Amino acid sequence: MSRWFRSEHMEYISLIVNEDAAHDCLADLGKLSAIQFTDLNPDLTPFQRRYLDTAGDIDTFLESSSGSGRAITAGGGDKKGTQLLESLEVELDGMKASSGLLAGAHDDEARDMDMRFSSITGVVSTEEKVRFERMIFRATRGNCYVRFAPIKQPITDPETGSLIEKCVFIVFFKSLSIETKLKKICDAFFAHRYSLPDMDDAPAVDRMLTENAQELVDSRTVLLKNQDTRFRLCQMLAQHTERWTWIVLREKAVYHTLNMFKADVSGMLRGEGWVISEHFEDVRMSVNRAHSDMDHSMPNYVDQVPKPWPTPPTHFTTNKFTYGYQEFVNTYGIPRYREANPALFTAATFPFLFGVMYGDIGHGLFLFSAGENDKAKLDEMTAGMHTGRYMMVMMGFFAVYAGFVYNDCFSLGLNLFGSRWVFSSDAPEEGEVAEMTGQFGDGDTVYPFGLDPMWHVASNELLFFNSFKMKLSVIFGIFQMFAGTCLRGINYIYFGKKLDFICEFIPMVAFASSLFVYMVILIFMKWSINWNSRMLSATCLDPNDAGWGSADYDGEWVACNGGGDGTCTPWGYECQGNDSLEDKCPLDFGGSGDGCQPPNLITSLINIALSPGNVDEPMYYGQAQMQNFLLLIAGISVPVLLLAKPYFLSKQMEANHHSAHDDDEEEEDHGMGEIIIHQAIETIEFVLGMAMLSTLNMNWFATFLGYGIFAGTTFGVLLMMDVLECFLHALRLHWVEFQNKFFSADGYDNQGGFGSQGTPSGQTKARRNYDEQTLIPDGRTLYMVKIVGCVRAHEQKSTNLTIEIEDGTGLVEVKTWMNEGDDCSAVANLRQECCQDYAFVRVIGQVKEFDGKRHIQATDIRLLGTKNEITFHLLEVAYSFDKYQKRKESGSGIGMGVGMGYGIGNMSMPKTMGANVSMDQGGGNTVNDAAIASIRNLGSQNDTGVNIHTIVQDLASQGYSEGEVRNAVSHLSNEGHIYSTIDENHFQFAE
């Protein structure tokens, strides 16, 4: 079970194989079901793949029944099986053609048996009879005589092989032109015409009938032999069809995977993918074995790829029983890699909660039997149910178990162990009171298992079952939600998320425990307290009465002096006749009940928040003070949950960007805003999810009562509609109330065998969560970057545009926002140009981080005009990296215009790459020269550059206006003499 709690450890490997041995190598690797390859050729279309022709041949075989031998041969299949298939196919095609001819001949003979007349005679389809007769009447203007006679047996159509009802017709006419018209009409209706001898020549007619009968018998015999031979050939083929189909599917998977390999060196193929850690050596042995079998001396290579890796896929080892539960969870979402797997708990809680709601012995047995039926014929609809048959079995089992607890069988009570309550008469009437068979608290008075059947005939049955099932639903619901919250904390500990553990998990546990776990404790306290004794202690009794000294009172009986009205409580209080319950109760717990009155728990929980410090019916001493303390904890935990994590994240961002802040900066930080919104949603979901537990109770309550109400309905309602109702409600409890507390559901499944990340969505999931070092090259934090890449996906919204760009280091998420006052038409044109898959774009923007993931907030995004810009960008990258290395070796200050990632993405660099720039770079313009001098002097003090406001203030003393300075800075930036650093308002001189 521990292996099912978290997914298998995965390793990202690279393997290089000889091209001749690649097929056998992948065939062996597929049998391990332990490796999933990634596509190393994402830029290639399916028509540019290396093994397109071979894969196409295999697809052709799968789409049609012909060409099987050629497809298997192309895939390297069984040669003996291929020859057998080809020979049988030729023989079967010949038999099929002969069958059509024989069927036609046989039908012709059968038709001649019924034809006794001359003129124009033939056979037409019964469906066309009316139209055929109407056409003859119109064409001949009624100058003919037509009669029809049905053929008794259906005739086989040689073209389709189906049986068709036909009839014989004879047309009498007296004109050569009418004969021509009738022949054309017969041809139009596909009516077969036949020649008959003259009816006056009786010997000729008899001779023709005799010959026809003999040919009919011969044709029938040959036709049956042909059908028998075809049947035997099909039986022979059926013995091999499944094996051949699997061979073809295997070959298709092999060549599909080979299309994802990269041919870096002639004769060698390189592939990368994920492998289960414990099978790494098996993969290496399979590759070595495939090469040794091919007798290749060229070495192969299998080893781990250095980190950082893409996000690994999720793989769980399942069996027939656990597979259905895992698919049940995967329908909601694939667990994140090494995340706590909800399926482990769902395997126990889902059928149990279903049984709690559906609980009935009789109906549960039907469901149990349906799950046990493993002999049913599977089709598209029942295949899914067959996969979850073990879940159905467990649902039926727990329904039967809960039925025994409720003592319900088809909504009727079962007196299995003998009721502990009896009536004084054998025929009790309505309103008669039953008595216990023993003393209260005696073990013999307890029904051995479940509820006493006497409750089903009691007048307070509804009140009792309502209270019992309501409390039961509260206990199970709170336990499930609290368990989900605890799993969140376990995930935080496992992944080392200390901030999330302190700022999210601890406040959640505090909030849930202070209100809802406390409510469960109150339920068990109420069940464990002897309320008969407590209520009796506050009851006035006559010391001389027979009830005095009853065993129901747990304390010592103390007789009073006989004052007051002559009665007293068991603990010796003299009753005055108008005493309150608070005066008579000896516990002194406070409130009107003073501890001697059983409370209404729902009211008690509501009053914790609505009436703090006021407990009308306490169960223990100091309950009011304790509830005030718990309310304080709950009140503090909510703002901590809402604000603590965003606060500490903002401090971390300030620490990373302390040099980037300026007093005059007013730009909205979208990254921080997204963090606050995300945390607010997280807080609202959790608090309202726990607070709305009363709605959950009412849903359970209504489901519980459904079976008593529908006791007289048909089995179809109880076994179909109510099963679906309970199933959907249990589904909601798991997906919304349980999994929502800890389950990220943003992973992707390990396909195993020949599975791959060949689809764009698979690549996105695999590469989106690259390690943070992807955007922190050489230990330097990036702020403003420029990247050139290919658009892989895009998502347009009313306020922003999100684009995923492949720049050679993986998929990079880019966002651009539409602010108030923007030129809507310009933004629309921008989106239309850039939102094209496989289009190359240039992006300049800031590196942002949200929820542990980094993206680029674009300040400028443009479609590339020519492919030369890609080459120019690569030169910028090389220049940037070389410049950084030289400055690093010399120990001088390192500016922010540096290369990104693995050298493909680039920081915002100058467009001219001269090492020394003279003062006339401004183009002879005095304002430009002054701006360059100001940026050069002020920018040398730090690496973040000079803020535009500082430049304006510096040049104001020289008589330049703000507008002139901003225009000059914009011109210099476009010309590449200066470049932006941490944002679009900070600039550095291009040395």
Side-chain angles (χ1 to χ4, degrees), residues 621-636:
Y621 182 77
Q623 183 174 347
Q625 291 77 9
M626 174 59 73
Q627 293 181 172
N628 285 339
F629 175 71
L630 296 176
L631 180 62
L632 178 63
I633 294 177
I636 295 175

Side-chain angles (χ1 to χ4, degrees), residues 448-467:
F449 186 82
L451 299 177
D452 195 297
M454 193 61 70
W455 283 110
H456 288 277
V457 297
S459 59
N460 59 341
E461 172 195 6
L462 187 61
L463 294 176
F464 172 77
F465 277 98
N466 285 358
S467 176

Side-chain angles (χ1 to χ4, degrees), residues 940-951:
S940 62
Q941 302 175 6
N942 55 66
D943 294 334
T944 59
V946 188
N947 189 277
I948 183 65
H949 301 290
T950 305
I951 302 173

